[in-house]
Amino acid sequence: MYAHAVGGTRFTFPDLRRLMACATPHRSGDVLAGLAARSMAERIAAQMALADLPLTTFLDEALVPYEADEVTRLIIDTHDRAAFAPVAALTVGGFRDWLLSDEADQAALAALSPGLTPEMVAAVSKICRIQDLILIAAKRRVTTRFRDTIGLPGRLSSRLQPNHPTDDARGILASIVDGLLLGCGDAVIGINPASDSPQRVHDLLSMLDDLRQRLDVPTQSCVLTHVTTAIDLMAGGTPVDLVFQSIGGTEATNTSFGFGLSILREAREAALSLKRGTVGTDVMYFETGQGSALSADAHHGCDQQTIEARAYAVARAFSPLLVNTVVGFIGPEYLYNGKEIIRAGLEDHFCAKLLGVPMGCDVCYTNHAEADQDDMDVLMTSLAAAGLTFIMGVPGADDVMLGYQSTSFHDVLALRQMLNLKPAPEFGAWLDRVGLTDATGRIRPLDMPERFQRLLAAA
């Protein structure tokens, strides 16, 4: 039992699960699940009670039962108590104060990550204002490598997302060339296929790999097919760089997605055996999003942000190159408007970075949400200031296959210019080598450089 009084009224919370839910800033998914605080006073009482809670509580009281959930077992069994020791005596509120202090620098946060559980970082995020979420996350960089180096300080990468409603090769290639001309694609060139048939996925992967080799571009490709399809394709010789899977924070969520942790282990080992990386061996790409567990009725009575943070423990266990919160994609049933989407995106990035996960964000919304591109401008700029690893580059910011609004190639350029950020170093060197950037590193005007024209002609 947890309790705290606000304005002369004493609020009680029967267990940690209820306390965490009531302390969460308002969002429509928790209201839909019947988990949200019933008033602002109750939310404040829960946040104050949570701030007084010792961090060690989360090692003693599981929100999702250990015996019934392999994600909980992963979290508890891999927890590093030695790494946790520097903050073990702190409350959630004390932990926030420490995170804001000068003592919590990159080295300290990197050493601490194995000692933090998702529930701990979710808890502290609930008592942080947006400024805190940005400032703390900006201290923590997570660097990964495959054919280029992602996540270094002063860098912002992008996923070039050339989706097409019929997987037409000419349309996809046109989008890829458009993105490369504008300096996008250093995180990954990643296609969401309109058809998940193994043959279609094989054809798309082969096309991407052929183009990459002909242009000699130091990046990686991915077709976002199911992990089991990728395993079968790798066994048949298809050129797979990154293995993709949408993941959730409970075993039941992942079962609804058609996989378990053992399948992810098998896929990672298969991808590593191909030895396709040149500067590193991070071969996994995961996507997440608040609300996925609720939509699968697999949330165990927990609020959606806490369950989302647990998905990052799954990601962390497999040393991914990229992780991406598709923050506004599931719809207004879970994140109703721009305010909720902005807060959720910054929470996701904050929690992932504290756990040591290379977090990017699909800064996005669906057309039936109470949000618009101005909200996305606020979120993408805030995330870039917070040290986001990568964002999406979608032609015109409008994905014509998935039917939602994201960020464009020009948005990537705008963030790099505003905040003096650069692409991954190997990719930046390639842009310079083929004549797509000038002496200052800026993308050239609209005329296509002759060197790049020759490369395209050969491709």
Side-chain angles (χ1 to χ4, degrees), residues 99-115:
L99 289 169
L100 288 168
S101 73
D102 291 339
E103 184 181 349
D105 57 14
Q106 163 67 15
L109 291 174
L112 180 63
S113 287

Side-chain angles (χ1 to χ4, degrees), residues 113-174:
S113 287
L116 296 177
T117 69
E119 292 84 357
M120 292 176 190
V121 298
V124 75
S125 76
K126 297 177 192 299
I127 62 169
C128 284
R129 56 189 287 194
I130 279 180
Q131 182 184 99
D132 300 337
L133 297 175
I134 296 171
L135 179 59
I136 294 167
K139 300 180 183 187
R140 178 71 164 104
R141 306 300 306 203
V142 180
T143 305
T144 57
R145 296 173 176 84
F146 188 75
R147 288 198 189 93
D148 55 2
T149 306
I150 309 297
L152 292 168
R155 308 280 174 170
L156 175 66
S157 294
S158 63
R159 170 186 161 188
L160 203 170
Q161 184 170 302
N163 295 343
H164 191 279
T166 63
D167 291 333
D168 180 79
R170 294 170 301 172
I172 290 171
L173 289 171

Side-chain angles (χ1 to χ4, degrees), residues 151-234:
L152 292 168
R155 308 280 174 170
L156 175 66
S157 294
S158 63
R159 170 186 161 188
L160 203 170
Q161 184 170 302
N163 295 343
H164 191 279
T166 63
D167 291 333
D168 180 79
R170 294 170 301 172
I172 290 171
L173 289 171
S175 293
I176 293 174
V177 171
D178 188 19
L180 292 174
L181 281 168
L182 293 171
C184 293
D186 54 328
V188 65
I189 301 174
I191 302 171
N192 297 89
S195 167
D196 200 36
S197 76
Q199 184 61 51
R200 178 71 59 85
V201 174
H202 167 82
D203 292 344
L204 290 173
L205 283 168
S206 298
M207 178 188 70
L208 288 174
D209 194 57
D210 180 67
L211 180 69
R212 178 192 61 79
Q213 292 189 62
R214 289 176 181 272
L215 296 181
D216 193 28
V217 54
T219 189
Q220 35 284 327
S221 63
C222 185
V223 174
L224 280 65
T225 188
H226 193 270
V227 61
T228 54
T229 302
I231 291 171
D232 291 342
L233 289 172
M234 285 187 284

Side-chain angles (χ1 to χ4, degrees), residues 276-412:
R276 295 179 56 81
T278 55
V279 298
T281 58
D282 299 317
V283 295
M284 304 300 283
Y285 175 20
F286 298 123
E287 286 190 352
T288 71
Q290 289 192 25
S292 59
L294 176 57
S295 66
D297 193 24
H299 60 294
H300 291 267
C302 296
D303 67 273
Q304 64 184 34
Q305 189 259 336
T306 297
I307 292 296
E308 168 69 6
R310 285 168 51 94
Y312 310 151
V314 175
R316 178 172 63 177
F318 295 94
S319 303
L321 180 75
L322 306 166
V323 179
N324 175 37
T325 171
V326 193
V327 64
F329 183 74
I330 301 181
E333 300 85 355
Y334 306 97
L335 296 170
Y336 178 71
N337 56 20
K339 181 180 178 67
E340 293 185 10
I341 292 170
I342 290 168
R343 172 82 195 190
L346 290 166
E347 287 170 348
D348 292 352
H349 178 255
F350 169 93
C351 291
K353 284 295 182 65
L354 286 186
L355 291 169
V357 170
M359 180 58 83
C361 183
D362 192 343
V363 178
C364 63
Y365 63 100
T366 57
N367 289 316
H368 60 311
E370 290 293 322
D372 58 28
Q373 211 64 37
D374 285 344
D375 296 312
M376 300 305 103
D377 286 351
V378 170
L379 178 54
M380 72 178 187
T381 306
S382 298
L383 283 167
L388 183 75
T389 299
F390 71 102
I391 65 168
M392 302 296 109
V394 177
D398 183 3
D399 193 302
V400 294
M401 194 281 281
L402 292 174
Y404 77 118
Q405 309 304 311
S406 185
T407 47
S408 70
F409 304 140
H410 294 86
D411 290 328
V412 177

Side-chain angles (χ1 to χ4, degrees), residues 410-433:
H410 294 86
D411 290 328
V412 177
L413 288 182
L415 291 174
R416 287 175 177 166
Q417 182 174 338
M418 281 189 292
L419 300 174
N420 193 28
L421 301 170
K422 300 181 184 302
E426 299 89 347
F427 190 85
W430 176 81
L431 290 172
D432 181 62
R433 188 167 65 249

Side-chain angles (χ1 to χ4, degrees), residues 6-28:
V6 171
T9 300
R10 181 177 173 82
F11 294 90
T12 60
F13 310 95
D15 54 30
L16 186 56
R17 187 182 296 117
R18 180 64 184 161
L19 178 66
M20 291 279 279
C22 287
T24 306
H26 183 277
R27 59 210 53 193
S28 55

